[in-house]
Amino acid sequence: MNTAIPDGAWYGAKRRLLGPPLATEQLKNERLSRPLALGVLSSDGLSSAAYGTEEILYALIPFFGLAAFTLVLPLTLLVLFGVALVVLSYREVVSVYTRAGGSYVVARENFGPRVAQVAAVALMIDYVVTVAVQTAAGSAAIVSAFPGLSRLPVIGPKILLVISVAAIAVMCAGNLRGVREAGRAFAVPTYLFAGSVALMIVGGIVRELTGTLPSATRDPGMVGLGSHSGLIAFAAIFIMAKAFANGGSSLTGIEAVSNAVSALRPPEGRNARRLLAIQGSLVAFLIAGISWLAHATHATPYGAGFPTVLAQEASLVFGHTAAGRLAFLLLQVGTAAILFTGGNTSFTGFPFLASFVAEDSFLPRWLTRRGQRLVFSNGILVLTVFSLALLAVAGATVTALIPFYAIGVFTGFSMAGFGMARYHRRTREPGWRRRLTINTAGGIYTALVVLVFAVVKFTEGAWLIVILFPVLVWLLIRLNREYRSEAAALEDSGVIVPNYTRQVILVLVDGYDVAVTAAVRYAKSQRPTVLRAVHFVLDDGHAERLRDRWVAAGTGVPLELADCPDRRLAHAVGALAAREASTEGTFVTVVLPRRSYPLLAGRVLHDRTAERIAHVVSRVPGAAATIVPFDVRHRAATQGRRAQPDEERPAPAPGAEPIGSLTLAGPPRKATVQGRLRAAQVRPVDHNNVLACQVADSTGDVTVLFYGRTHIPGLTTGSHIRLRGMAGPGADGQPTMINPGYELLR
């Protein structure tokens, strides 16, 4: 008999959209070499160099005018000092914590799980804003290369938002399908961007030295030049602090290596430290070079966000020849590609972080579940929704999104720095004083950036993060308290389970159909002391017709017509269960036939009476509710239709017998079979244990018993195993092999 369960419509749609499901055993970590890891893990860090200088100038030019192109250099040096501190600080992180998690794991291990929620909230905000900022910057790079897009009808004025939303939708779909960042394709944008920008920087410096580097011409769309010259006024200090805060966005993404240490080839810690050093050096070179060319060319940001400062510099350096235009387009392609790739890193980081926090019971548990393609689908969808909402509210320009950015990023840096400082003070490992100094300095620097950012960007949108941050931390801690209280309520230690001598089953019926028949059949299988069907009368005519049909059907179960004058059905059922359970030694089970319908139609056309009744009955001591579902639409649609084959059962392997050929007739015989482990359980037998495994292929099942074992390393559900031994009839009515030789297969 074919017992495979046909797939539902929703599963079929997911399968078509996302592809066939991946087995859990396929969840393997792809180890990355250093060159590949540099390309894959550095995209977020390097991509921020594309807009860091521009954001500094955006704050300086309206106040200082042409003096801004001089001031950009010392502010860039201050940013580079921060890059060095963060790289040095995270080199200590990856030396100790060689698994994924980054600053959240550091904070949790050194400050405890509650304080770690500050890092969790900081990182989650960082991931959400990173997606919005990176896609907005990538969209600006595309429009800078093809300015005609901004003049398209209808979508032209909103072209940055349109491209950003489309990019996020593509990222979401790709990650739901299980696109892996460890693929070589994800390393290409990093090397293309770094190479093309390095070529531009070197070419620009050469042209400057030879006196052939042109300057940017003023354009009405550029940010207006200010005329203030006083550098001691409070306003000037405030503007420079704002420019520094904007430039601090260049530090984002440096920590990406610490979030993926476990993906590196061993020795993981040493490889991660080298990657951080190389990445930090590249970031510093790119930021310094782009700022120097901005100083030399006077490239000025545009109010609309495009053409970008980087695009202006590339156009001036490469010129307008065919080769220059090709180099310009290549740089813009590399810029857009690395920015979108950098945004895509959040679609890996956010779901993993959310799963870590959820495993610690500070976020909903459904964030820990992997989807059809072995990715954290719920986390991907949550990130997509929040990123799109941020773009819709703030707009799709980097300048509009920067106020939401650095507080989360630098708070995570601070937690990592101070967490490692506490680790060094506690362990006092060799060289701990030097490491303590590095991490403390990194923590103080990044904490000051958070403070500066909160002050100078408060009125531009940072107020929302300042308010939202503590609220989210409180919500996470409050959710954890709820989980802990639920766990305490469910803890059964010390609870005396009463011995019930009388079992009463009440089957609630509102009609007589196959759903009720299935519920009655289930109730009979429980062999209760008392079994009766109960109908609460809400309509006298309907009750009379039900009684006639019940008697005519001859179910053998008495039907009780109960009064319900106030039509509070759930309350009446609860009261009946309480009366029955009040008899000493009696346990009452209320069986509820539930007719299941498609989700949307079921919500509109039918109520949820069974769930409401079960909720009330669950509060009655000595009573429980059992819902027996009956899928109406599925039964109607599949009557007479053959079920699809079970895809979890592999075909018989070469060199092995089909499991279905192990008949129960005749004496035991030697056999070699191969299949997939579908279930395993530990059974107590005569003061010992036996590990009972069910192994299956497409032809049948065999029960495998390993006496004296509770587990076998590597043998988990979903594993493939080859067995050699005696096969014969077992007590459970299936072919059985006892203590066979086994071989675990990939």
Side-chain angles (χ1 to χ4, degrees), residues 79-202:
V79 170
L80 296 183
F81 175 70
V83 171
L85 274 181
V86 170
V87 168
L88 290 173
S89 182
Y90 271 87
R91 277 172 58 87
E92 302 304 322
V93 172
V94 299
S95 297
V96 177
Y97 298 99
T98 56
R99 63 185 187 278
S103 59
Y104 175 73
V105 172
V106 176
R108 184 182 63 186
E109 297 297 324
N110 293 284
F111 296 118
R114 290 197 173 190
V115 177
Q117 301 319 303
V118 176
V121 170
L123 288 172
M124 286 189 286
I125 291 175
D126 174 27
Y127 284 129
V128 171
V129 182
T130 293
V131 174
V133 169
Q134 298 284 76
T135 53
S139 303
I142 292 175
V143 181
S144 297
F146 305 101
L149 294 173
S150 64
R151 297 187 292 272
L152 291 174
V154 183
I155 66 171
K158 296 289 186 181
I159 188 62
L160 294 182
L161 181 61
V162 171
I163 297 176
S164 299
V165 170
I168 292 176
V170 171
M171 292 178 194
C172 176
N175 282 277
L176 286 175
R177 288 185 63 89
V179 172
R180 298 198 59 180
E181 286 203 12
R184 295 180 182 275
F186 284 92
V188 173
T190 300
Y191 287 108
L192 177 61
F193 172 76
S196 56
V197 174
L199 178 64
M200 180 197 74
I201 293 171
V202 173

Side-chain angles (χ1 to χ4, degrees), residues 175 206 363 388 451 453 597 672 711 726:
N175 282 277
V206 170
L363 278 177
L388 291 176
L451 181 61
F453 212 95
Y597 299 88
T672 299
H711 75 285
M726 300 298 292

Side-chain angles (χ1 to χ4, degrees), residues 254-299:
I254 293 176
E255 79 288 356
V257 174
S258 70
N259 294 327
V261 179
S262 56
L264 302 177
R265 289 179 180 173
E268 294 87 347
R270 187 175 67 185
N271 286 331
R273 290 195 300 274
R274 292 180 178 177
L275 278 179
L276 280 167
I278 296 171
Q279 176 187 259
S281 301
L282 283 174
V283 170
F285 171 73
L286 296 179
I287 295 172
I290 293 171
S291 292
W292 179 263
L293 289 182
H295 160 76
T297 62
H298 288 189

Side-chain angles (χ1 to χ4, degrees), residues 24 60 123 135 249 251 414 422 468 517 615 618 654 656 701 724:
T24 306
L60 292 176
L123 288 172
T135 53
S249 61
L251 276 69
S414 298
R422 184 166 186 173
L468 192 61
T517 302
H615 177 70
S618 67
D701 294 35
R724 299 180 181 87

Side-chain angles (χ1 to χ4, degrees), residues 506 508 532 534 536 562-564 566-582 588-592 609-625:
L506 307 174
L508 295 192
R532 67 179 190 269
V534 180
F536 285 89
D563 189 24
C564 186
D566 58 2
R567 295 169 303 285
R568 296 169 63 195
L569 184 57
H571 181 269
V573 175
L576 175 60
R579 287 196 302 271
E580 293 287 344
S582 63
V588 178
T589 302
V590 178
V591 175
L592 301 159
T609 305
E611 283 77 5
R612 291 199 298 270
I613 293 175
H615 177 70
V616 173
V617 172
S618 67
R619 297 180 173 183
V620 177

